[in-house]
PDB file of all heavy atoms in Angstrom:
ATOM      1  N   SER A   1       0.837  -1.191   0.000  1.00 93.00           N
ATOM      2  CA  SER A   1       0.000   0.000   0.000  1.00 93.00           C
ATOM      3  C   SER A   1       0.877   1.248   0.000  1.00 93.00           C
ATOM      4  O   SER A   1       2.087   1.184   0.288  1.00 93.00           O
ATOM      5  CB  SER A   1      -0.900   0.013   1.238  1.00 93.00           C
ATOM      6  OG  SER A   1      -0.114   0.193   2.414  1.00 93.00           O
ATOM      7  N   LEU A   2       0.273   2.392  -0.273  1.00 94.00           N
ATOM      8  CA  LEU A   2       1.008   3.647  -0.205  1.00 94.00           C
ATOM      9  C   LEU A   2       1.537   3.894   1.199  1.00 94.00           C
ATOM     10  O   LEU A   2       2.653   4.390   1.374  1.00 94.00           O
ATOM     11  CB  LEU A   2       0.109   4.806  -0.646  1.00 94.00           C
ATOM     12  CG  LEU A   2      -0.223   4.898  -2.135  1.00 94.00           C
ATOM     13  CD1 LEU A   2      -1.223   6.024  -2.396  1.00 94.00           C
ATOM     14  CD2 LEU A   2       1.039   5.121  -2.964  1.00 94.00           C
ATOM     15  N   ALA A   3       0.738   3.521   2.196  1.00 93.00           N
ATOM     16  CA  ALA A   3       1.184   3.707   3.587  1.00 93.00           C
ATOM     17  C   ALA A   3       2.422   2.861   3.868  1.00 93.00           C
ATOM     18  O   ALA A   3       3.393   3.332   4.484  1.00 93.00           O
ATOM     19  CB  ALA A   3       0.058   3.345   4.550  1.00 93.00           C
ATOM     20  N   GLU A   4       2.414   1.615   3.397  1.00 94.00           N
ATOM     21  CA  GLU A   4       3.575   0.737   3.605  1.00 94.00           C
ATOM     22  C   GLU A   4       4.804   1.283   2.875  1.00 94.00           C
ATOM     23  O   GLU A   4       5.915   1.266   3.415  1.00 94.00           O
ATOM     24  CB  GLU A   4       3.249  -0.673   3.111  1.00 94.00           C
ATOM     25  CG  GLU A   4       2.249  -1.412   3.982  1.00 94.00           C
ATOM     26  CD  GLU A   4       1.807  -2.734   3.368  1.00 94.00           C
ATOM     27  OE1 GLU A   4       1.646  -2.790   2.128  1.00 94.00           O
ATOM     28  OE2 GLU A   4       1.638  -3.700   4.135  1.00 94.00           O
ATOM     29  N   LEU A   5       4.601   1.779   1.671  1.00 95.00           N
ATOM     30  CA  LEU A   5       5.719   2.312   0.889  1.00 95.00           C
ATOM     31  C   LEU A   5       6.327   3.542   1.562  1.00 95.00           C
ATOM     32  O   LEU A   5       7.551   3.707   1.587  1.00 95.00           O
ATOM     33  CB  LEU A   5       5.251   2.669  -0.520  1.00 95.00           C
ATOM     34  CG  LEU A   5       4.864   1.473  -1.403  1.00 95.00           C
ATOM     35  CD1 LEU A   5       4.125   1.938  -2.649  1.00 95.00           C
ATOM     36  CD2 LEU A   5       6.103   0.671  -1.786  1.00 95.00           C
ATOM     37  N   HIS A   6       5.484   4.376   2.150  1.00 94.00           N
ATOM     38  CA  HIS A   6       6.000   5.551   2.852  1.00 94.00           C
ATOM     39  C   HIS A   6       6.711   5.153   4.144  1.00 94.00           C
ATOM     40  O   HIS A   6       7.738   5.735   4.501  1.00 94.00           O
ATOM     41  CB  HIS A   6       4.871   6.546   3.127  1.00 94.00           C
ATOM     42  CG  HIS A   6       4.485   7.360   1.931  1.00 94.00           C
ATOM     43  ND1 HIS A   6       3.788   6.838   0.869  1.00 94.00           N
ATOM     44  CD2 HIS A   6       4.740   8.665   1.620  1.00 94.00           C
ATOM     45  CE1 HIS A   6       3.618   7.785  -0.047  1.00 94.00           C
ATOM     46  NE2 HIS A   6       4.183   8.900   0.381  1.00 94.00           N
ATOM     47  N   ASP A   7       6.178   4.160   4.831  1.00 93.00           N
ATOM     48  CA  ASP A   7       6.838   3.687   6.059  1.00 93.00           C
ATOM     49  C   ASP A   7       8.206   3.095   5.726  1.00 93.00           C
ATOM     50  O   ASP A   7       9.203   3.362   6.421  1.00 93.00           O
ATOM     51  CB  ASP A   7       5.963   2.626   6.751  1.00 93.00           C
ATOM     52  CG  ASP A   7       4.786   3.228   7.504  1.00 93.00           C
ATOM     53  OD1 ASP A   7       4.839   4.438   7.812  1.00 93.00           O
ATOM     54  OD2 ASP A   7       3.818   2.498   7.758  1.00 93.00           O
ATOM     55  N   GLN A   8       8.269   2.274   4.681  1.00 94.00           N
ATOM     56  CA  GLN A   8       9.502   1.590   4.337  1.00 94.00           C
ATOM     57  C   GLN A   8      10.560   2.546   3.780  1.00 94.00           C
ATOM     58  O   GLN A   8      11.750   2.376   4.018  1.00 94.00           O
ATOM     59  CB  GLN A   8       9.211   0.477   3.333  1.00 94.00           C
ATOM     60  CG  GLN A   8       8.410  -0.672   3.941  1.00 94.00           C
ATOM     61  CD  GLN A   8       7.916  -1.671   2.909  1.00 94.00           C
ATOM     62  OE1 GLN A   8       8.374  -1.675   1.764  1.00 94.00           O
ATOM     63  NE2 GLN A   8       6.972  -2.514   3.285  1.00 94.00           N
ATOM     64  N   SER A   9      10.122   3.561   3.064  1.00 94.00           N
ATOM     65  CA  SER A   9      11.077   4.510   2.482  1.00 94.00           C
ATOM     66  C   SER A   9      11.516   5.569   3.487  1.00 94.00           C
ATOM     67  O   SER A   9      12.600   6.147   3.358  1.00 94.00           O
ATOM     68  CB  SER A   9      10.460   5.198   1.269  1.00 94.00           C
ATOM     69  OG  SER A   9       9.364   6.021   1.669  1.00 94.00           O
ATOM     70  N   GLY A  10      10.660   5.837   4.471  1.00 94.00           N
ATOM     71  CA  GLY A  10      10.950   6.898   5.426  1.00 94.00           C
ATOM     72  C   GLY A  10      10.613   8.284   4.902  1.00 94.00           C
ATOM     73  O   GLY A  10      10.941   9.290   5.540  1.00 94.00           O
ATOM     74  N   TRP A  11       9.917   8.342   3.776  1.00 95.00           N
ATOM     75  CA  TRP A  11       9.569   9.634   3.174  1.00 95.00           C
ATOM     76  C   TRP A  11       8.180  10.049   3.635  1.00 95.00           C
ATOM     77  O   TRP A  11       7.224   9.268   3.586  1.00 95.00           O
ATOM     78  CB  TRP A  11       9.597   9.544   1.650  1.00 95.00           C
ATOM     79  CG  TRP A  11      10.925   9.118   1.092  1.00 95.00           C
ATOM     80  CD1 TRP A  11      12.156   9.350   1.631  1.00 95.00           C
ATOM     81  CD2 TRP A  11      11.158   8.377  -0.115  1.00 95.00           C
ATOM     82  NE1 TRP A  11      13.144   8.820   0.846  1.00 95.00           N
ATOM     83  CE2 TRP A  11      12.566   8.216  -0.243  1.00 95.00           C
ATOM     84  CE3 TRP A  11      10.337   7.856  -1.103  1.00 95.00           C
ATOM     85  CZ2 TRP A  11      13.146   7.541  -1.314  1.00 95.00           C
ATOM     86  CZ3 TRP A  11      10.903   7.186  -2.172  1.00 95.00           C
ATOM     87  CH2 TRP A  11      12.297   7.040  -2.270  1.00 95.00           C
ATOM     88  N   ASP A  12       8.051  11.297   4.047  1.00 93.00           N
ATOM     89  CA  ASP A  12       6.758  11.807   4.512  1.00 93.00           C
ATOM     90  C   ASP A  12       5.970  12.480   3.400  1.00 93.00           C
ATOM     91  O   ASP A  12       4.742  12.482   3.410  1.00 93.00           O
ATOM     92  CB  ASP A  12       6.959  12.803   5.658  1.00 93.00           C
ATOM     93  CG  ASP A  12       7.470  12.126   6.926  1.00 93.00           C
ATOM     94  OD1 ASP A  12       7.146  10.932   7.117  1.00 93.00           O
ATOM     95  OD2 ASP A  12       8.171  12.774   7.706  1.00 93.00           O
ATOM     96  N   GLU A  13       6.683  13.062   2.446  1.00 94.00           N
ATOM     97  CA  GLU A  13       6.028  13.766   1.342  1.00 94.00           C
ATOM     98  C   GLU A  13       6.679  13.307   0.049  1.00 94.00           C
ATOM     99  O   GLU A  13       7.907  13.340  -0.082  1.00 94.00           O
ATOM    100  CB  GLU A  13       6.189  15.277   1.517  1.00 94.00           C
ATOM    101  CG  GLU A  13       5.309  16.095   0.598  1.00 94.00           C
ATOM    102  CD  GLU A  13       5.330  17.578   0.948  1.00 94.00           C
ATOM    103  OE1 GLU A  13       6.055  17.965   1.892  1.00 94.00           O
ATOM    104  OE2 GLU A  13       4.628  18.339   0.267  1.00 94.00           O
ATOM    105  N   THR A  14       5.865  12.876  -0.893  1.00 95.00           N
ATOM    106  CA  THR A  14       6.401  12.218  -2.079  1.00 95.00           C
ATOM    107  C   THR A  14       5.679  12.669  -3.352  1.00 95.00           C
ATOM    108  O   THR A  14       4.650  13.334  -3.305  1.00 95.00           O
ATOM    109  CB  THR A  14       6.255  10.686  -1.975  1.00 95.00           C
ATOM    110  OG1 THR A  14       4.858  10.375  -1.835  1.00 95.00           O
ATOM    111  CG2 THR A  14       7.035  10.124  -0.803  1.00 95.00           C
ATOM    112  N   VAL A  15       6.255  12.237  -4.480  1.00 94.00           N
ATOM    113  CA  VAL A  15       5.606  12.381  -5.784  1.00 94.00           C
ATOM    114  C   VAL A  15       5.516  10.996  -6.406  1.00 94.00           C
ATOM    115  O   VAL A  15       6.499  10.255  -6.444  1.00 94.00           O
ATOM    116  CB  VAL A  15       6.388  13.338  -6.707  1.00 94.00           C
ATOM    117  CG1 VAL A  15       5.801  13.312  -8.120  1.00 94.00           C
ATOM    118  CG2 VAL A  15       6.361  14.752  -6.151  1.00 94.00           C
ATOM    119  N   LEU A  16       4.336  10.660  -6.885  1.00 94.00           N
ATOM    120  CA  LEU A  16       4.075   9.390  -7.553  1.00 94.00           C
ATOM    121  C   LEU A  16       3.800   9.672  -9.016  1.00 94.00           C
ATOM    122  O   LEU A  16       3.000  10.555  -9.345  1.00 94.00           O
ATOM    123  CB  LEU A  16       2.862   8.709  -6.916  1.00 94.00           C
ATOM    124  CG  LEU A  16       2.418   7.374  -7.514  1.00 94.00           C
ATOM    125  CD1 LEU A  16       3.394   6.265  -7.131  1.00 94.00           C
ATOM    126  CD2 LEU A  16       1.003   7.022  -7.042  1.00 94.00           C
ATOM    127  N   LYS A  17       4.481   8.942  -9.933  1.00 92.00           N
ATOM    128  CA  LYS A  17       4.233   9.146 -11.361  1.00 92.00           C
ATOM    129  C   LYS A  17       4.587   7.877 -12.124  1.00 92.00           C
ATOM    130  O   LYS A  17       5.353   7.029 -11.634  1.00 92.00           O
ATOM    131  CB  LYS A  17       5.033  10.329 -11.899  1.00 92.00           C
ATOM    132  CG  LYS A  17       6.528  10.256 -11.704  1.00 92.00           C
ATOM    133  CD  LYS A  17       7.174  11.570 -12.145  1.00 92.00           C
ATOM    134  CE  LYS A  17       8.657  11.604 -11.844  1.00 92.00           C
ATOM    135  NZ  LYS A  17       9.266  12.901 -12.206  1.00 92.00           N
ATOM    136  N   PRO A  18       4.055   7.728 -13.336  1.00 92.00           N
ATOM    137  CA  PRO A  18       4.360   6.530 -14.138  1.00 92.00           C
ATOM    138  C   PRO A  18       5.814   6.548 -14.600  1.00 92.00           C
ATOM    139  O   PRO A  18       6.415   7.609 -14.772  1.00 92.00           O
ATOM    140  CB  PRO A  18       3.415   6.648 -15.342  1.00 92.00           C
ATOM    141  CG  PRO A  18       2.448   7.733 -15.008  1.00 92.00           C
ATOM    142  CD  PRO A  18       3.119   8.629 -14.030  1.00 92.00           C
ATOM    143  N   THR A  19       6.358   5.364 -14.827  1.00 92.00           N
ATOM    144  CA  THR A  19       7.710   5.307 -15.389  1.00 92.00           C
ATOM    145  C   THR A  19       7.697   5.598 -16.886  1.00 92.00           C
ATOM    146  O   THR A  19       8.726   5.920 -17.460  1.00 92.00           O
ATOM    147  CB  THR A  19       8.368   3.931 -15.152  1.00 92.00           C
ATOM    148  OG1 THR A  19       7.594   2.920 -15.789  1.00 92.00           O
ATOM    149  CG2 THR A  19       8.495   3.630 -13.665  1.00 92.00           C
ATOM    150  N   VAL A  20       6.536   5.480 -17.516  1.00 88.00           N
ATOM    151  CA  VAL A  20       6.376   5.859 -18.920  1.00 88.00           C
ATOM    152  C   VAL A  20       5.288   6.923 -18.978  1.00 88.00           C
ATOM    153  O   VAL A  20       4.161   6.684 -18.557  1.00 88.00           O
ATOM    154  CB  VAL A  20       5.966   4.667 -19.807  1.00 88.00           C
ATOM    155  CG1 VAL A  20       5.705   5.139 -21.237  1.00 88.00           C
ATOM    156  CG2 VAL A  20       7.047   3.593 -19.787  1.00 88.00           C
ATOM    157  N   GLY A  21       5.639   8.093 -19.468  1.00 78.00           N
ATOM    158  CA  GLY A  21       4.626   9.138 -19.543  1.00 78.00           C
ATOM    159  C   GLY A  21       5.247  10.497 -19.711  1.00 78.00           C
ATOM    160  O   GLY A  21       6.464  10.654 -19.832  1.00 78.00           O
ATOM    161  N   GLY A  22       4.403  11.498 -19.689  1.00 69.00           N
ATOM    162  CA  GLY A  22       4.854  12.864 -19.830  1.00 69.00           C
ATOM    163  C   GLY A  22       3.710  13.819 -19.589  1.00 69.00           C
ATOM    164  O   GLY A  22       2.562  13.410 -19.384  1.00 69.00           O
ATOM    165  N   ALA A  23       4.035  15.118 -19.587  1.00 65.00           N
ATOM    166  CA  ALA A  23       3.047  16.185 -19.426  1.00 65.00           C
ATOM    167  C   ALA A  23       2.271  16.059 -18.115  1.00 65.00           C
ATOM    168  O   ALA A  23       1.115  16.470 -18.030  1.00 65.00           O
ATOM    169  CB  ALA A  23       2.093  16.213 -20.610  1.00 65.00           C
ATOM    170  N   GLY A  24       2.907  15.472 -17.101  1.00 70.00           N
ATOM    171  CA  GLY A  24       2.259  15.388 -15.799  1.00 70.00           C
ATOM    172  C   GLY A  24       1.163  14.345 -15.705  1.00 70.00           C
ATOM    173  O   GLY A  24       0.383  14.351 -14.750  1.00 70.00           O
TER     174      GLY A  24
END
């Protein structure tokens, strides 16, 4: 989950985006 990913990374504020894409 996003909560688990934030706990494991130690990041409180993040940006999530596709690995393929553009224009936000």
Side-chain angles (χ1 to χ4, degrees):
S1 68
L2 288 175
E4 289 172 322
L5 292 167
H6 282 73
D7 283 340
Q8 291 170 14
S9 66
W11 302 330
D12 291 331
E13 192 171 1
T14 59
V15 172
L16 179 73
K17 57 186 174 183
T19 61
V20 175

